[in-house]
Amino acid sequence: MEKTISNQRKASNILKRFGLLLVLVLMVIVMSLVSDVFLTTGNIINVLRQVSINGILAVGMTFVILTGGIDLSVGSVVAVTSVIAGNLLQKGYSLPVTLGASIGAALLFGVFSGVLIAYAGLPPFIATLAAQTIGRGFALVYSDGRPYMIAHDTYKAIGKGSWIGIPVPIWIMAVVILIAAVVLRYTTFGRHVYAFGGNRNASKLSGLNIRTTEMATYIISSFCAALAGTILSARISSGQPTAGQGYELDAIAAVAIGGTSMSGGIGHLSGTILGFIIIGVLSNSLTLLNVSSFYQDIVKGFIIIFAVLMDLRTKRSGN
Amino acid sequence: MAEECILQTKGISKSFFGVNVLNEIDFSIRRGEVHALMGENGAGKSTLMKIIMGIYHADAGEILFEGKPVVIRETKNALDLGISMIHQELNPIPEMTVAENVFLGREPHVGRLPIVDFKKLNQMTQDLLEKYEMADRISPQMHMSSLSIAQIQMMEIIKAVSYNSKVIIMDEPTSSLSESETKQLFKTIDLLRASGVGVIYISHRMAEVFELSDRISVLRDGSLIETIDRAHATTDHIIATMVGRALSSGYPRNHAVPGEVILEAKGVSGAGFEDVSFQVSAGEILGFAGLVGAGRSETMRAIVGYDRMKSGEIYVDGRRAAVRHPSDALKLGIVMASEDRKSLGLILCRDIKENISIQNERRYSRFGFMNHRQEREQCEGIAHEMSVKMNGIADIAGNLSGGNQQKVVLAKCLLTHPKIMILDEPTRGIDVGAKAEIYKKMVELAEGGMAIIMISSEMPELIGMSDRILAMSGGRVRAEFDNRERQTSQAEILRAALKGVE
């Protein structure tokens, strides 16, 4: 008797996660029928490379949203990383120095938001909105509004190169996902993130240092944004102050589609992965079908609503 | 006979995940009666009430209202029929006044304009308050945020009668009330009864049920075991019916001989408490008496480092201890189980295992990595030791009954192997069976050398369990009673607890 209950619960859990997978499988089946390019190795790799930037951002965003927060600054942090790297490479600094400075600057933004949220008590929405405009403004002031051309070959390889046939951005994304999965599942910090998002007061009374936990998630998110900014600038061979505009919304969309609760405490990295792959496959499909990118945004909006509605329904029937 | 029933349920059944929660319940409430509904946590009381209120839907059976079958799809249907419920957790809108809350969504307008007629609104509320003799304690223009729990409850009752409710369900209405507030509530219930309202009264407190009710129904494991007139019932009989077995009444005796002083607080002050000093020894159960708001919980929260302490000193094993954060307290072996399970005790959306492990992770982690196997074994072990009723430790904490949630809170505290355990209202809102288990566990722990501090608002429990009792009021310790003989009088304690209050 008890076994059947837990089995049923397990079944409904799997269904919940499979629901999303089902959406993806359906999309793939339909696309493979209407397009003979879709299921080629070339196109699959293409999709994965295209999603790599949003994928990395979405992984960082998952940590933040699991605490019940939100990070609106990632798009601007992408731009900050990108202009600093562009400028330093033009001035002839070595790769380690460049990466250290560009990624370091991005981390400072994470610390900035984190301190405002965890220590000064600002709502995450407000603090990261401020960080977003400050970051964008900084990138524009720093570069005087002009892009830096990047000629450094090794740096460019981060975005354009490939290893055993697979583009470097995909490798980076894979490593980021792997580390995040291990952190969330096997470390005490991962548990703290879930606990904090579920009930911060109870977490504190249980002896967790909730401020460091909360702040750390914003630093993680900024680090992911720095990686994304590096990949982007390397890929387009230029450090652009306007890069990354609106990227935060795609990352949030991926996490939301993936079923992570916006109020925190509940969610899985696997959901986020399905989320950004679905978004990627969707844009790829619509492009293959010659649908204008303007329409793509509209469709994406409806997919978000559909996915989250599905999620709400499965959760409700679960109760 | 049938026509005097306002509300009847016939053969109501309900199951979740294939588990029968309610089995063909035939329950009725008559005009002008107080009908107590008793049963252990998880017996199905709340489910039955939620079906009557339209929050859940029965799988089978029907509901008759004034003799006619009705369909209650949502809460609004129940309210329209004249059935209201005063929930255990009250949720008023804090920025509004009493009158605005009572007539929320039904405000009288100035003529036909979309403008609220505040004068009329306040007058309507005032009339109701006077009718139910509450006008001296609560007024229409008071802000909700300034009200005590008792006053909020009065507002909820007024709200219910303003809907012309014929049936009012009260879920554990006295769990947060002081004794004088409880008396006031009982007076209101008598007035409701006199005006023909049927009251369904859910409570674990035997004395109240016997004082108040006309009939008593007992639920056990989803079945209605019996409904009897109060006149024919005895406490022992009701308890035996509830648990399905004879239960030793009374409190287990702590045979530990108090050892060295483990914890000493010297003149601690903070928000809500002033100059509090006390000592507690190994093997001792120290009780804290007082009314709600006496500063007991606040003191303890500061001692474990959850809230700031403005001044004062804490000594653990005779050494000065600096506790700035609950993690410091944990290292010193001090742990607190809060009275507020939902906001301070548990992470409701996570499972039992994570709830237990969050406070104990250093026991099975190295360099920040968890050992899942050890974690599962230890959490499972302590959950079984506390006899948490569950399918497994993967059950979500929020889905457990109140008594089981409390056991999980105790389990996570116990796994830290504390030297000093602070229990804030450890038995609030939980059933007699679980209460007895918790008392037994407390004595076991004390006899094993633990120092236990228990805050309780239930006098009999405090007197039955504590070796010493401190009474607090207005944030200060007012008196200390040696209670080794378990003979301190309630009146004495109450007098101290009322000092500087009235």
Side-chain angles (χ1 to χ4, degrees):
Chain A
M1 183 73 184
E2 283 183 1
K3 265 280 183 280
T4 57
I5 304 159
S6 66
N7 281 346
Q8 271 178 16
R9 262 198 206 142
K10 247 180 220 160
S12 84
N13 268 338
I14 290 168
L15 205 74
K16 214 163 90 187
R17 280 203 233 172
F18 271 10
L20 216 51
L21 197 57
L22 214 67
V23 171
L24 183 61
V25 169
L26 268 176
M27 286 168 75
V28 170
I29 291 174
V30 170
M31 275 314 291
S32 58
L33 290 178
V34 294
S35 158
D36 28 331
V37 190
F38 184 75
L39 265 191
T40 56
T41 320
N43 190 52
I44 291 172
I45 288 185
N46 182 29
V47 170
L48 286 176
R49 199 191 51 216
Q50 279 168 355
V51 301
S52 61
I53 288 179
N54 187 35
I56 292 168
L57 291 175
V59 169
M61 192 66 76
T62 305
F63 280 84
V64 171
I65 291 181
L66 277 176
T67 66
I70 198 156
D71 188 353
L72 299 176
S73 72
V74 292
S76 298
V77 174
V78 163
V80 169
T81 321
S82 139
V83 290
I84 292 179
N87 180 34
L88 294 186
L89 289 173
Q90 266 192 5
K91 288 194 174 141
Y93 284 96
S94 70
L95 196 60
V97 172
T98 303
L99 287 178
S102 63
I103 294 175
L107 292 181
L108 282 181
F109 272 89
V111 173
F112 178 72
S113 303
V115 168
L116 286 180
I117 293 160
Y119 290 87
L122 278 191
F125 188 93
I126 303 297
T128 60
L129 187 65
Q132 181 193 66
T133 65
I134 292 171
R136 184 66 61 194
F138 172 83
L140 286 164
V141 169
Y142 181 87
S143 64
D144 203 16
R146 283 188 297 269
Y148 297 99
M149 298 313 288
I150 295 174
H152 195 290
D153 284 332
T154 322
Y155 188 85
K156 284 200 292 192
I158 297 172
K160 292 179 172 173
S162 51
W163 184 52
I164 50 174
I166 293 174
V168 175
I170 299 179
W171 285 113
I172 298 178
M173 172 175 73
V175 171
V176 167
I177 288 173
L178 194 73
I179 293 175
V182 169
V183 167
L184 280 179
R185 187 164 162 67
Y186 292 102
T187 68
T188 53
F189 172 74
R191 278 298 169 75
H192 298 178
V193 170
Y194 280 105
F196 178 94
N199 185 343
R200 61 169 69 197
N201 295 330
S203 302
K204 180 179 173 187
L205 188 60
S206 298
L208 303 193
N209 194 335
I210 55 171
R211 287 182 165 162
T212 8
T213 303
E214 189 176 26
M215 184 158 128
T217 61
Y218 290 91
I219 298 176
I220 290 171
S221 177
S222 289
F223 179 72
C224 288
L227 292 180
T230 307
I231 293 172
L232 181 69
S233 56
R235 212 173 129 55
I236 59 177
S237 305
S238 97
Q240 304 256 13
T242 53
Q245 241 153 11
Y247 279 20
E248 60 279 353
L249 298 180
D250 271 357
I252 294 165
V255 179
I257 291 174
T260 297
S261 158
M262 283 291 141
S263 48
I266 306 170
H268 296 278
L269 196 62
S270 54
T272 298
I273 297 169
L274 280 174
F276 68 72
I277 290 181
I278 285 175
I279 293 178
V281 168
L282 189 74
S283 340
N284 179 257
S285 308
L286 295 174
T287 309
L288 288 179
L289 296 174
N290 283 325
V291 178
S292 116
S293 67
F294 303 154
Y295 285 103
Q296 293 187 13
D297 285 343
I298 297 177
V299 176
K300 199 165 34 181
F302 280 106
I303 288 276
I304 294 173
I305 294 171
F306 175 74
V308 177
L309 273 181
M310 286 278 290
D311 197 43
L312 278 180
R313 287 188 152 243
T314 44
K315 269 177 196 152
R316 228 175 268 151
S317 66
N319 283 329
Chain B
M1 182 73 191
E3 59 275 295
E4 65 170 317
C5 285
I6 319 171
L7 180 74
Q8 262 180 298
T9 72
K10 281 198 172 160
I12 293 280
S13 296
K14 174 81 185 167
S15 57
F16 292 113
F17 297 114
V19 180
N20 275 335
V21 182
L22 289 178
N23 263 324
E24 301 190 16
I25 304 288
D26 295 325
F27 177 78
S28 67
I29 173 91
R30 298 173 188 155
R31 214 173 290 286
E33 101 170 321
V34 176
H35 192 149
L37 188 57
M38 304 196 73
E40 295 189 272
N41 289 311
K45 291 167 301 188
S46 325
T47 311
L48 180 61
M49 292 306 116
K50 281 179 179 164
I51 287 173
I52 291 176
M53 289 308 292
I55 300 168
Y56 293 152
H57 301 146
D59 299 335
E62 58 174 351
I63 299 177
L64 303 181
F65 192 81
E66 297 183 320
K68 287 188 278 293
V70 289
V71 179
I72 302 176
R73 273 196 208 85
E74 45 180 353
T75 311
K76 191 175 171 303
N77 301 146
L79 290 174
D80 288 345
L81 284 171
I83 311 170
S84 312
M85 177 154 178
I86 319 275
H87 289 273
Q88 207 172 344
E89 275 104 34
L90 306 159
N91 2 299
I93 302 170
E95 284 77 27
M96 288 189 162
T97 65
V98 169
E100 285 169 317
N101 265 289
V102 169
F103 288 99
L104 189 65
R106 303 173 294 148
E107 299 87 352
H109 288 181
V110 179
R112 298 181 143 228
L113 298 172
I115 298 169
V116 176
D117 185 344
F118 280 103
K119 211 172 140 198
K120 196 168 165 206
L121 178 75
N122 289 333
Q123 191 52 51
M124 284 159 64
T125 312
Q126 183 67 28
D127 291 348
L128 286 173
L129 288 170
E130 275 166 18
K131 185 175 169 202
Y132 289 96
E133 299 178 8
M134 299 175 187
D136 53 334
R137 288 171 179 252
I138 174 171
S139 75
Q141 298 192 54
M142 283 164 100
H143 267 267
M144 292 311 294
S145 52
S146 67
L147 301 189
S148 68
I149 293 176
Q151 287 170 316
I152 295 173
Q153 214 170 46
M154 290 177 185
M155 187 284 288
E156 294 281 349
I157 292 172
I158 289 301
K159 188 171 177 174
V161 294
S162 77
Y163 274 98
N164 292 317
S165 293
K166 293 166 184 162
V167 175
I168 298 181
I169 303 166
M170 297 189 184
D171 189 2
E172 294 269 356
T174 58
S175 61
S176 310
L177 300 192
S178 70
E179 255 163 77
S180 67
E181 290 166 339
T182 303
K183 287 229 167 66
Q184 174 71 26
L185 174 72
F186 287 3
K187 228 163 69 190
T188 308
I189 291 177
D190 278 336
L191 287 167
L192 289 172
R193 173 163 31 199
S195 59
V197 175
V199 176
I200 302 176
Y201 191 86
I202 300 177
S203 177
H204 291 306
R205 298 190 179 173
M206 213 54 79
E208 287 178 5
V209 166
F210 275 86
E211 182 178 344
L212 209 58
S213 59
D214 302 299
R215 285 193 298 165
I216 302 171
S217 285
V218 178
L219 279 175
R220 187 175 78 225
D221 300 331
S223 298
L224 197 120
I225 305 295
E226 81 179 334
T227 299
I228 51 172
D229 286 334
R230 192 238 346 232
H232 303 157
T234 64
T235 312
D236 286 342
H237 172 73
I238 296 281
I239 291 180
T241 317
M242 273 165 70
V243 298
R245 58 184 189 272
L247 201 72
S248 67
S249 53
Y251 300 91
R253 193 61 197 262
N254 174 17
H255 294 288
V257 181
E260 303 267 297
V261 171
I262 295 193
L263 174 73
E264 178 172 14
K266 275 190 188 165
V268 296
S269 303
F273 57 100
E274 269 299 313
D275 195 21
V276 175
S277 300
F278 64 88
Q279 296 182 337
V280 59
S281 306
E284 187 183 34
I285 300 176
L286 173 64
F288 271 83
L291 305 179
V292 173
R296 298 168 299 169
S297 306
E298 289 80 355
T299 308
M300 293 308 153
R301 282 211 305 263
I303 283 178
V304 297
Y306 184 84
D307 288 336
R308 280 264 304 278
M309 193 181 286
K310 277 198 298 241
S311 60
E313 292 162 4
I314 293 175
Y315 294 84
V316 176
D317 290 329
R319 271 191 299 275
R320 176 82 191 270
V323 181
R324 286 188 199 85
H325 189 270
S327 59
D328 298 333
L330 215 52
K331 278 180 208 132
L332 290 162
I334 313 173
V335 65
M336 174 171 180
S338 164
E339 62 171 330
D340 199 338
R341 288 193 289 270
K342 288 196 164 60
S343 82
L344 283 174
L346 291 175
I347 300 159
L348 294 174
C349 66
R350 305 304 303 178
D351 63 20
I352 296 174
K353 179 187 70 179
E354 287 180 36
N355 269 289
I356 295 175
S357 82
I358 199 72
Q359 198 159 3
N360 296 287
E361 55 195 22
R362 70 196 157 82
R363 313 189 74 82
Y364 32 70
S365 64
R366 285 187 81 185
F367 309 118
F369 282 86
M370 319 264 305
N371 181 331
H372 283 228
R373 193 180 48 83
Q374 276 183 19
E375 178 194 25
R376 201 179 48 244
E377 281 171 8
Q378 295 192 17
C379 293
E380 216 151 43
I382 195 80
H384 283 308
E385 193 187 322
M386 286 307 300
S387 44
V388 178
K389 282 179 209 149
M390 56 184 181
N391 296 318
I393 51 172
D395 284 3
I396 300 300
N399 297 342
L400 299 175
S401 67
N404 268 324
Q405 289 184 350
Q406 183 64 13
K407 286 182 192 167
V408 174
V409 172
L410 294 181
K412 76 176 206 172
C413 290
L414 276 184
L415 192 57
T416 66
H417 298 304
K419 287 191 287 189
I420 302 142
M421 182 139 99
I422 302 170
L423 302 173
D424 194 353
E425 303 283 0
T427 64
R428 170 177 294 171
I430 73 177
D431 61 69
V432 277
K435 264 186 195 180
E437 288 175 51
I438 288 173
Y439 295 145
K440 211 174 113 224
K441 192 78 205 170
M442 283 170 68
V443 166
E444 215 179 287
L445 293 168
E447 287 174 351
M450 196 183 287
I452 295 178
I453 294 175
M454 175 175 72
I455 298 177
S456 174
S457 297
E458 268 186 67
M459 288 289 184
E461 165 178 291
L462 210 55
I463 295 168
M465 291 299 297
S466 316
D467 299 318
R468 248 183 332 129
I469 298 172
L470 294 187
M472 281 184 77
S473 79
R476 287 170 182 277
V477 176
R478 303 289 178 178
E480 177 173 341
F481 304 94
D482 184 337
N483 190 44
R484 249 168 301 175
E485 302 306 318
R486 303 290 186 264
Q487 277 174 344
T488 313
S489 83
Q490 290 199 22
E492 255 185 297
I493 299 175
L494 199 61
R495 219 172 293 132
L498 284 170
K499 241 182 230 168
V501 178
E502 276 171 307

